[in-house]
Amino acid sequence: MSNIQLSNLEHLPNYQITERLDVVYGSTVRSKHVGKDLFAGLKNIVGGELTAYTELLDESRQQAIDRMIVKAEALGADAVVGLRFSTSSIAQGAAELFVYGTAVKVVALQQQQATHYQPPSAHHDQASQYPSAPDQAPAPAEDLPRFNPFG
């Protein structure tokens, strides 16, 4: 079992990216089984889930992810962020499932740093939460701290 963490976000929650390594990918090309294809055609008439295709896609997805993880591990990555899937038709009856992302090194954030939002305390009155005059406008956006997923 791999220790590589996967995220479809551009960051990994509660971790700081310390190094971007490289784009990693995995793919598999699968064809449909003629017997299962015939059954799927019949099922298409009456409706319902085409479980043979669902299973084929699940297996394909896992194989592509496993191949991507092998490449990430070879780079010494802790995680893959920005995970995306793509499919394409290669030939009649055959399709490719492709997965890719950015292999990164990460460090866990301290619990205090990992908290992004602190709700206002309940004992403040409403007037103190909202400015009543133009000279009490909120801080400009450029003065606010920015999250940088790449360190």
Side-chain angles (χ1 to χ4, degrees):
M1 192 69 160
S2 172
N3 290 332
I4 299 281
Q5 296 189 62
L6 305 176
S7 175
N8 64 339
L9 303 172
E10 298 301 321
H11 66 282
L12 191 61
N14 300 325
Y15 288 84
Q16 179 177 358
I17 293 174
T18 58
E19 185 179 355
R20 287 183 293 158
L21 300 172
D22 203 354
V23 171
V24 289
Y25 62 89
S27 69
T28 184
V29 177
R30 297 285 182 105
S31 65
K32 299 179 275 186
H33 183 279
V34 175
K36 290 181 181 180
D37 198 35
L38 180 61
F39 176 72
L42 295 173
K43 183 78 168 186
N44 213 8
I45 295 170
V46 295
E49 181 181 7
L50 303 176
T51 54
Y53 288 156
T54 300
E55 291 169 6
L56 178 67
L57 281 172
D58 283 344
E59 291 169 7
S60 299
R61 191 177 305 112
Q62 192 57 56
Q63 186 175 45
I65 288 171
D66 291 346
R67 289 176 176 175
M68 180 191 65
I69 287 173
V70 166
K71 290 179 175 150
E73 286 175 332
L75 294 172
D78 301 312
V80 176
V81 296
L83 195 68
R84 301 290 184 266
F85 287 91
S86 176
T87 59
S88 60
S89 179
I90 299 297
Q92 177 138 3
E96 176 188 36
L97 193 134
F98 187 76
V99 61
Y100 60 97
T102 303
V104 296
K105 287 189 170 284
V106 297
V107 293
L109 292 174
Q110 304 255 340
Q111 189 59 36
Q112 306 91 309
Q113 293 173 325
T115 305
H116 298 292
Y117 173 71
Q118 291 288 335
S121 61
H123 69 276
H124 286 110
D125 63 4
Q126 218 174 14
S128 67
Q129 292 180 15
Y130 301 100
S132 59
D135 62 333
Q136 293 177 328
E142 62 270 3
D143 292 346
L144 298 175
R146 297 282 179 202
F147 174 76
N148 181 353
F150 302 110

